[in-house]
């Protein structure tokens, strides 16, 4: 069957849509103000104002669940701050770095480039980058503010001798020791409230920030924010407040965030001819959920896929996915598909943190009893059966043969029985 691709393009271009300003529903859109975040934005601004006045108010940690406005808040404040110092002739600047999927070295390089320092993206090491940063700051009489967003999503490589988040916080909080003068103000942003617990004692001893918490929006606030964006993005008269209230309810009930709500709104609007309905919103939810999950899973390496499959399998058969059991399943599946398994250390230090950073799993420490140390317990954030099917489909496609693990679970269960 032949497809006329030009006709498809023409049809899409000429299709009537109620979506007249889609940009306001994208993640890159930064509004002029944030609804229901006036207190938090004011707190951040006052903190920076004290810093500009010559007071060292301490570093900041901004934390809270995803989709609660942390990044947008700091970007709004940074825009006003940088405009203000330019207008008043103050030698200061906020440098914003998103750390997601960056290594410690790449983050330092991005910081140097933000300061206008020429430095190669590869070929040198962390010590040279820190030296270049120290030299610049020693020669500068400016008051700098460094913002590190998604600090907990730094990427760890096999070359890293220490955990990259800890290394970055340690070095940034001790810049004053290298400079022999007041160091820049550091702002860290994280989705995790327990980020301080995850850094080493020596780092915590120096990094004692003030904290600003961004709570989750309540149902009324979600509705008001979605309504505000819908009024900017959609044609007048093309939606009802009831439809927006229905979407707000879905965001809350399904434990999603506003970014998900905006994507659903875009998808539903593209399907609407003249009116947004709850039925179209339901259709859009299925499309968005499948698209988002599929994109994330397809981005994983084969070893990451097998670890994810192992967590899903263990939860599906009601076995607690702790470190030892997870690695045992992973190793068995690797042997079954002809992959050389990575070491347990590699799986726990590099593979599971990557999967966790993408929101597919979570982990927590659990004591094993007196004198037996601790283990990690993993939890799948998606439906186990859905993940099993999706991973099996992706691996089958990649290996050019059907990945049929039906026999593996039986073998695994027998293995566990023997071990017990």
């Amino acid at each position: 069957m032949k497809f006329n691709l030009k006709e498809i393009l023409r049809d899409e271009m000429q299709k009537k849509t109620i979506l007249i300003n889609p940009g306001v529903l994208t993640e890159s859109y930064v509004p002029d103000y944030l609804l229901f975040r006036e207190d938090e934005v004011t707190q951040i601004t006052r903190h920076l104002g004290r810093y500009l006045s010559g007071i060292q108010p301490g570093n900041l940690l901004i934390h809270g669940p995803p989709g609660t406005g942390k990044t947008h808040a700091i970007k709004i404040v940074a825009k006003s701050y940088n405009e203000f110092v330019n207008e008043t002739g103050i030698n200061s600047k906020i440098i914003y770095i998103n750390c997601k999927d960056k290594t410690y070295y790449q983050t330092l390089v991005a910081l140097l480039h933000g300061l206008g320092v020429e430095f190669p993206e590869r070929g040198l090491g962390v010590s040279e980058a820190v030296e270049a940063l120290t030299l610049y700051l020693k020669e500068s009489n400016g008051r700098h503010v460094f913002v590190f967003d998604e600090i907990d999503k730094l990427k760890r490589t096999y070359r890293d001798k220490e955990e990259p988040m800890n290394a970055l916080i340690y070095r940034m909080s001790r810049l004053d020791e290298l400079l022999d003068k007041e160091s820049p103000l550091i702002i860290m942003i994280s989705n995790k409230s327990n980020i301080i617990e995850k850094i080493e004692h020596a780092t915590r001893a120096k990094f004692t920030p003030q904290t600003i918490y961004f709570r989750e929006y309540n149902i009324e606030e979600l509705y008001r924010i979605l309504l505000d964006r819908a009024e900017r993005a959609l044609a007048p008269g093309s939606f009802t407040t009831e439809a927006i209230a229905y979407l707000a309810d879905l965001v809350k009930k399904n434990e999603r965030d506003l970014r998900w709500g905006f994507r659903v709104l875009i998808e539903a609007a593209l399907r609407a001819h003249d009116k947004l309905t709850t039925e179209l919103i339901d259709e859009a939810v299925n499309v968005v959920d499948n698209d988002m999950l599929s994109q994330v899973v397809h981005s994983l390496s084969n070893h990451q896929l097998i670890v994810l499959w192992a967590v899903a399998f263990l939860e599906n058969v009601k076995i607690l996915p702790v470190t030892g059991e997870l690695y045992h399943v992973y190793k068995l599946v690797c042997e079954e598909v002809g992959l050389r398994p990575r070491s347990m250390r590699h799986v726990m230090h590099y593979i599971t943190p990557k999967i966790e950073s993408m929101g597919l799993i979570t982990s927590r420490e659990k004591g094993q009893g007196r004198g037996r140390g601790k283990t990690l317990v993993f939890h799948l954030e998606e439906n186990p059966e859905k993940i099993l099917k999706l991973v099996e489909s992706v691996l089958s496609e990649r290996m050019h043969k059907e990945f049929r693990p039906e026999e593996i679970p039986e073998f695994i269960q027998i293995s566990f029985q023997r071990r017990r």
Side-chain angles (χ1 to χ4, degrees), residues 118-252:
E118 290 187 9
F119 196 85
E121 294 187 2
R122 51 176 60 88
L124 296 178
V126 166
S127 58
E128 289 90 350
V130 171
E131 188 179 338
L133 176 62
T134 306
L135 181 63
Y136 174 85
L137 293 174
K138 278 183 175 180
E139 294 176 350
S140 169
N141 60 357
R143 300 180 67 78
H144 299 93
V145 181
F146 300 159
V147 178
F148 299 99
D149 198 356
E150 300 196 89
I151 182 72
D152 52 298
K153 293 184 180 178
L154 277 162
K155 182 168 66 176
R156 186 170 187 171
T157 71
Y158 68 91
R159 294 188 186 91
D160 292 328
K161 295 177 181 177
E162 57 182 322
E163 204 282 321
M165 180 179 75
N166 183 78
L168 180 64
I169 294 175
Y170 180 86
R171 177 51 59 217
M172 290 299 112
S173 61
R174 292 177 181 268
L175 279 174
D176 57 342
E177 297 172 5
L178 298 175
L179 299 173
D180 294 324
K181 65 176 184 178
E182 190 177 76
S183 63
L185 177 66
I186 309 300
I187 300 177
M188 304 284 183
I189 305 176
S190 172
N191 291 334
K192 297 180 179 178
S193 296
N194 64 343
I195 183 174
I196 299 296
E197 298 168 20
K198 291 183 175 289
I199 58 179
E200 295 174 7
H201 178 73
T203 306
R204 284 203 302 270
K206 186 75 173 179
F207 184 67
T208 53
Q210 292 191 36
T211 61
I212 298 177
Y213 179 66
F214 278 61
R215 59 174 178 78
E216 288 188 343
Y217 295 108
N218 62 40
I219 186 73
E220 176 62 23
E221 290 167 342
L222 288 170
Y223 164 71
R224 291 274 303 280
I225 294 167
L226 287 167
L227 182 63
D228 177 70
R229 294 292 181 93
E231 287 171 346
R232 297 163 184 256
L234 308 182
S238 64
F239 62 92
T240 62
T241 54
E242 288 77 15
I244 303 303
Y246 180 74
L247 177 55
D249 186 58
L250 287 178
V251 172
K252 198 68 176 175

Side-chain angles (χ1 to χ4, degrees), residues 20-84:
I20 57 174
N21 191 11
V24 302
L25 297 175
T26 61
E27 281 192 50
S28 60
Y29 174 73
V30 180
D32 294 329
Y33 62 93
L34 281 179
L35 291 172
F36 312 110
R37 287 292 180 252
E38 292 87 354
D39 290 347
E40 292 85 351
V41 168
T42 301
Q43 261 186 285
I44 297 168
T45 307
R46 288 190 187 283
H47 196 89
L48 292 170
R50 295 186 188 113
Y51 178 66
L52 278 181
S53 71
I55 298 170
Q56 178 51 275
N59 297 319
L60 267 184
L61 171 62
I62 299 170
H63 64 103
T68 51
K70 301 182 298 297
T71 297
H72 280 168
I74 200 66
K75 286 186 174 181
I76 288 170
V77 173
K79 182 174 181 289
S80 291
Y81 181 95
N82 288 335
E83 287 174 355
F84 176 78

Side-chain angles (χ1 to χ4, degrees), residues 88-359:
T88 54
I90 299 172
N91 187 1
S92 183
K93 186 180 181 182
I94 291 181
I95 308 294
Y96 170 88
I97 309 292
N98 190 301
C99 300
K100 186 177 180 180
D101 290 332
K102 286 186 175 70
T103 63
Y104 177 26
Y105 176 75
Q106 288 169 338
T107 302
L108 290 174
V109 171
L111 177 58
L112 287 167
H113 290 174
L115 291 166
V117 179
E118 290 187 9
F119 196 85
E121 294 187 2
R122 51 176 60 88
L124 296 178
V126 166
S127 58
E128 289 90 350
V130 171
E131 188 179 338
L133 176 62
T134 306
L135 181 63
Y136 174 85
L137 293 174
K138 278 183 175 180
E139 294 176 350
S140 169
N141 60 357
R143 300 180 67 78
H144 299 93
V145 181
F146 300 159
V147 178
F148 299 99
D149 198 356
E150 300 196 89
I151 182 72
D152 52 298
K153 293 184 180 178
L154 277 162
K155 182 168 66 176
R156 186 170 187 171
T157 71
Y158 68 91
R159 294 188 186 91
D160 292 328
K161 295 177 181 177
E162 57 182 322
E163 204 282 321
M165 180 179 75
N166 183 78
L168 180 64
I169 294 175
Y170 180 86
R171 177 51 59 217
M172 290 299 112
S173 61
R174 292 177 181 268
L175 279 174
D176 57 342
E177 297 172 5
L178 298 175
L179 299 173
D180 294 324
K181 65 176 184 178
E182 190 177 76
S183 63
L185 177 66
I186 309 300
I187 300 177
M188 304 284 183
I189 305 176
S190 172
N191 291 334
K192 297 180 179 178
S193 296
N194 64 343
I195 183 174
I196 299 296
E197 298 168 20
K198 291 183 175 289
I199 58 179
E200 295 174 7
H201 178 73
T203 306
R204 284 203 302 270
K206 186 75 173 179
F207 184 67
T208 53
Q210 292 191 36
T211 61
I212 298 177
Y213 179 66
F214 278 61
R215 59 174 178 78
E216 288 188 343
Y217 295 108
N218 62 40
I219 186 73
E220 176 62 23
E221 290 167 342
L222 288 170
Y223 164 71
R224 291 274 303 280
I225 294 167
L226 287 167
L227 182 63
D228 177 70
R229 294 292 181 93
E231 287 171 346
R232 297 163 184 256
L234 308 182
S238 64
F239 62 92
T240 62
T241 54
E242 288 77 15
I244 303 303
Y246 180 74
L247 177 55
D249 186 58
L250 287 178
V251 172
K252 198 68 176 175
K253 187 167 65 178
N254 295 333
E255 298 182 332
R256 302 293 188 173
D257 59 35
L258 279 169
R259 292 173 296 189
W260 179 84
F262 296 149
R263 286 193 64 171
V264 170
L265 197 52
I266 288 175
E267 186 63 37
L270 288 171
R271 292 166 174 268
H273 295 298
D274 51 16
K275 204 81 171 176
L276 187 73
T277 64
T278 56
E279 290 78 16
L280 288 173
I281 289 172
D282 285 335
E283 287 179 23
V285 166
N286 290 329
V287 172
V288 168
D289 279 350
N290 288 332
D291 280 355
M292 289 175 75
L293 183 59
S294 180
Q295 285 172 17
V296 171
V297 171
H298 273 84
S299 72
L300 298 177
S301 70
N302 287 348
H303 285 279
Q304 290 164 350
L305 284 170
I306 293 172
V307 170
L308 179 62
W309 187 93
V311 176
F313 165 75
L314 288 168
E315 286 207 350
N316 205 39
V317 295
K318 311 302 180 191
I319 295 173
L320 192 65
V322 294
T323 299
E325 309 289 31
L326 173 61
Y327 185 71
H328 183 65
V329 176
Y330 159 77
K331 198 172 175 184
L332 286 171
V333 178
C334 281
E335 290 166 356
E336 182 74 18
V337 300
L339 278 178
R340 184 180 177 183
R342 308 288 193 213
S343 67
M344 182 185 284
R345 182 179 182 280
H346 186 94
V347 170
M348 297 305 153
H349 283 216
Y350 302 103
I351 295 180
T352 55
K354 175 66 177 177
I355 302 171
E356 190 168 358
S357 75
M358 302 181 91

